[in-house]
Amino acid sequence: MRDARELRHAGKWTQMQLAKAVRTSSSTISRLESGEGPVPSDLPPLLDQVFMTDGLFKRLYGEIQREGFPVHSRRRIRLEPDAAAIAEWSQTVVPGLVQTPAYAHALFRQGDPRAGDSEIRAMVDKRMARQDVFLRSSPPDFSVVICESVLRRTVGGEDVMRDQLGALLSHGARRTSVVQVLPLSAGCHGLMDGPISILTALDGSVIVYAEGVRSGAIIEDPNAVKQLTRSYNLVTASALSPDASAQLILKLMEAP
């Protein structure tokens, strides 16, 4: 974000003065201007306020975040902020859009044990930045179905998991969100191969993102999208109702 340096010079600010104005350290401003290291997710909106740049830094931050994701997922990340509706299914982990920072940290740490702490923090920040989609004045309709096994698998320890379950309850309480649990008793279904995300754009077009362990693919073929959407609808029909799902999540939260 070298634009910050130009605007700072134009305004005759020192790095220390700017840091004080946006409530951060001068070393963070230095890293921001040099393009080195991660950018704190709360910094771009503050820069926009100070420089009165009408969302410039927030947009730049979004571009940086998207480029930081694996190639196979970048288009999906580009589409999320403007989606009219997002539907997700996962039988492996809690989907990224509803993960807590601690849950995401535990996943990244296990997935890359050689990564440094700063790398892990940067990955967590990128994942959390995706959740800004829910802060829009008109957030997308969001529905998620999670396998019961995901909720019973402890990730990051009991406290981390309890907070994660609490976050799912909070999401389920949103007017524009639906959280459902597919019970283990539901049996075989058409989405057992892996997690998917169904994104509906404002113009009504639909794409499906199918995710693997280290890979992913955007599916646009109308017949394939139709088949996967049908499979998702069948999974939601087999899942517990939103109220029953919330009761199960609360029961697991309160379990000793």
Side-chain angles (χ1 to χ4, degrees):
M1 291 189 180
R2 291 178 173 81
D3 303 66
R5 177 190 296 157
E6 297 175 5
L7 288 169
R8 181 175 62 78
H9 286 166
K12 298 182 179 179
W13 296 64
T14 66
Q15 287 186 342
M16 185 171 294
Q17 288 171 329
L18 179 57
K20 185 176 181 180
V22 296
R23 301 190 294 277
T24 190
S25 65
S26 56
S27 60
T28 297
I29 297 299
S30 177
R31 289 196 302 271
L32 173 78
E33 293 182 352
S34 64
E36 298 176 359
V39 178
S41 60
D42 60 343
L43 184 56
L46 294 173
L47 289 169
D48 283 323
Q49 289 179 20
V50 169
F51 292 128
M52 294 183 289
T53 43
D54 192 28
L56 169 66
F57 287 99
K58 191 172 181 179
R59 290 191 295 273
L60 289 173
Y61 179 73
E63 292 172 7
I64 291 170
Q65 292 297 93
R66 288 190 288 271
E67 289 304 308
F69 284 92
V71 173
H72 61 76
S73 66
R74 287 178 189 170
R75 187 177 174 203
R76 177 252 193 104
I77 302 301
R78 284 197 299 270
L79 292 171
E80 277 182 351
D82 299 316
I86 301 173
E88 299 214 74
W89 150 254
S90 180
Q91 85 283 36
T92 53
V93 296
V94 172
L97 281 176
V98 287
Q99 288 178 8
T100 64
Y103 185 96
H105 185 280
L107 291 177
F108 284 130
R109 173 51 68 205
Q110 287 296 319
D112 192 354
R114 296 183 183 277
D117 290 343
S118 61
E119 293 177 86
I120 297 296
R121 284 195 298 271
M123 288 188 282
V124 171
D125 285 345
K126 290 173 187 175
R127 180 154 294 177
M128 294 303 104
R130 290 174 55 200
Q131 299 179 9
D132 286 351
V133 68
F134 297 119
L135 302 180
R136 284 169 24 188
S137 58
S138 180
D141 291 329
F142 179 71
S143 63
V144 58
V145 184
I146 304 172
C147 181
E148 180 181 349
S149 62
V150 173
L151 307 183
R152 293 185 178 277
R153 180 176 301 111
T154 301
V155 173
E158 292 182 359
D159 290 342
V160 170
M161 199 64 206
R162 189 174 295 109
D163 287 345
Q164 178 61 74
L165 294 174
L168 289 174
L169 286 177
S170 296
H171 274 281
R174 294 172 181 259
R175 291 193 299 271
T176 55
S177 296
V178 176
V179 175
Q180 290 180 265
V181 178
L182 184 71
L184 294 172
S185 59
C188 185
H189 56 83
L191 296 180
M192 296 185 68
D193 286 347
I196 67 166
S197 298
I198 303 173
L199 287 83
T200 303
L202 294 174
D203 63 5
S205 60
V206 181
I207 64 103
V208 175
Y209 178 78
E211 189 168 9
V213 176
R214 298 286 183 182
S215 64
I218 293 287
I219 300 171
E220 296 180 274
D221 176 73
N223 289 329
V225 169
K226 182 178 179 180
Q227 180 180 347
L228 288 168
T229 301
R230 178 179 183 276
S231 294
Y232 180 83
N233 291 336
L234 289 174
V235 166
T236 62
S238 300
L240 300 176
S241 70
D243 285 345
S245 296
Q247 290 172 14
L248 175 59
I249 294 171
L250 183 59
K251 179 181 177 181
L252 293 173
M253 269 186 72
E254 295 176 344

